[in-house]
Amino acid sequence: MQIRPAAALTGALIGMSALFLPTAAAQADGHPHHHTVTVAHRGASGYAPENTLAAVDAADDLGIDWVENDVQRTKDGELIVMHDTTLSRTTNVEEVFPDRAPWNISDFTLDEIEKLDAGSWFGADFQGETVPTLEEYMDRVSDNHQKLLLELKSPELYPGIERQTLRELRREGWLDHRHKRRLIVQSFNAEAMRTVHRLRPDVKTGFLGTPAVADLPEYAEFSDQINPSYKTIDADYVAAVRAVDGAHGKPLEVYTWTVNDGPSAVSVAGMGVNGIITNKPDVVRDALDDAS
Ligand code: G3P
Ligand code: CA
């Protein structure tokens, strides 16, 4: 699907106006009310190095309670938080280990990865920031009373990472009944998500991508969300997704990414998405509040 044509955009904006009409409750308490969740993508990665504890804290400082991350596995089997499958872009690995090209995460032990600077590439203020383990990351999210949209990144590279991640989540208490509302697990890999749902059918799950409408019932067998790039959706697609019940019998939700400006956020909210994943969560949150 291509970017929405102008006519569709106009329709979406009209729909948006209706969606964001202030409710009586909003007028009574003076606060805007809308139900679109803002998720800090790789943490508040517009303001701090992605997928670090600093990015989690930056989201918290902005009052954002949902953070998204990416989980992969080291050579010695430890779960860490990083987006790329190589260490090059977001650490100084090429300086520290010049002879270890192509610097795949899976070729480095945790001890080696913990020697890397994962902050300086973003800015001098973040020098010394490290690559967090999933455990460290979850601890910080918990300490901040935040919620986690956890992506299994490239799970096809890491056999068994679904079970391992669920085990670690359980050990950290994230699968306890009272905490489950604070967690969604997602992936671009449908088989990985099918596995997560089979192993822990109680966990809320999302499929990353834009499946054909005809295929949605198949994805709904193991997903509660369909999470597409905002460049691939229009109001009709969002409505088609919402019309299908997900794995827990509720309408499939849509969390779209990566929306970094206010007008685009208001536009996709008008299409009826449930969540917006963004590097600049304050920009999105404020735009949605202003439009409500
Ligand atoms: O959560 C959505 C988004 O993270 C998917 O793309 O490449 O940033 O992991 P990517
Ligand atoms: Ca991600």
Side-chain angles (χ1 to χ4, degrees):
M1 190 181 301
Q2 300 299 312
I3 297 173
R4 287 170 296 113
L9 174 62
T10 305
L13 289 172
I14 292 169
M16 173 272 294
S17 303
L19 182 75
F20 282 166
L21 278 176
T23 63
Q27 290 164 349
D29 67 12
H31 293 291
H33 285 183
H34 58 77
H35 301 288
T36 314
V37 174
T38 300
V39 181
H41 181 236
R42 311 181 193 172
S45 58
Y47 308 114
E50 65 185 55
N51 279 326
T52 64
L53 301 185
V56 175
D57 288 343
D60 187 47
D61 290 345
L62 294 168
I64 300 297
D65 56 358
W66 275 98
V67 294
E68 188 258 9
N69 72 0
D70 302 282
V71 175
Q72 300 189 62
R73 191 164 68 200
T74 66
K75 183 179 181 181
D76 53 340
E78 300 294 332
L79 298 179
I80 63 161
V81 178
M82 182 168 283
H83 177 270
D84 297 4
T85 56
T86 74
L87 296 153
S88 295
R89 181 177 62 86
T90 58
T91 76
N92 60 345
V93 69
E94 295 187 18
E95 288 168 38
V96 180
F97 298 104
D99 303 327
R100 300 276 294 275
W103 299 287
N104 292 322
I105 291 172
S106 57
D107 292 334
F108 286 78
T109 64
L110 178 61
D111 189 50
E112 291 170 333
I113 289 173
E114 286 180 334
K115 291 182 169 59
L116 303 176
D117 180 339
S120 292
W121 71 274
F122 190 86
D125 288 351
F126 297 99
Q127 184 180 6
E129 197 68 29
T130 54
V131 177
T133 64
L134 176 59
E135 184 178 346
E136 291 166 343
Y137 191 97
M138 286 190 289
D139 285 349
R140 183 61 59 92
V141 173
S142 285
D143 288 348
N144 291 347
H145 305 289
Q146 290 168 298
K147 303 169 189 173
L148 179 58
L149 175 56
L150 183 157
E151 180 182 345
L152 295 175
K153 177 60 76 187
S154 305
E156 61 278 4
L157 298 179
Y158 310 107
I161 196 170
E162 302 90 342
R163 184 183 293 274
Q164 181 180 1
T165 301
L166 290 169
R167 196 186 310 130
E168 200 152 317
L169 285 164
R170 180 170 54 80
R171 200 166 53 225
E172 293 295 307
W174 280 81
L175 303 189
D176 294 354
H177 185 66
R178 64 198 167 96
H179 289 309
K180 272 188 297 195
R181 291 167 62 92
R182 299 169 55 219
L183 174 71
I184 304 167
V185 178
Q186 64 172 0
S187 183
F188 285 101
N189 184 313
E191 278 317 300
M193 292 319 306
R194 197 182 283 281
T195 299
V196 168
H197 182 66
R198 177 172 54 78
L199 292 172
R200 284 297 301 229
D202 52 332
V203 170
K204 187 169 180 176
T205 56
F207 174 72
L208 279 162
T210 315
V213 169
D215 295 335
L216 289 171
E218 189 184 330
Y219 289 87
E221 290 172 8
F222 56 87
S223 302
D224 301 288
Q225 300 185 331
I226 299 293
N227 296 342
S229 163
Y230 82 102
K231 295 183 178 173
T232 67
I233 63 173
D234 58 19
D236 288 345
Y237 184 77
V238 175
V241 175
R242 302 282 295 139
V244 177
D245 281 348
H248 292 96
K250 296 180 181 166
L252 283 169
E253 296 179 340
V254 177
Y255 280 22
T256 194
W257 45 275
T258 306
V259 180
N260 293 325
D261 67 275
S264 298
V266 172
S267 173
V268 296
M271 295 177 197
V273 304
N274 306 88
I276 298 177
I277 302 168
T278 171
N279 300 342
K280 297 185 174 179
D282 55 333
V283 170
V284 166
R285 186 259 325 273
D286 293 350
L288 298 180
D289 285 353
D290 289 348
S292 68

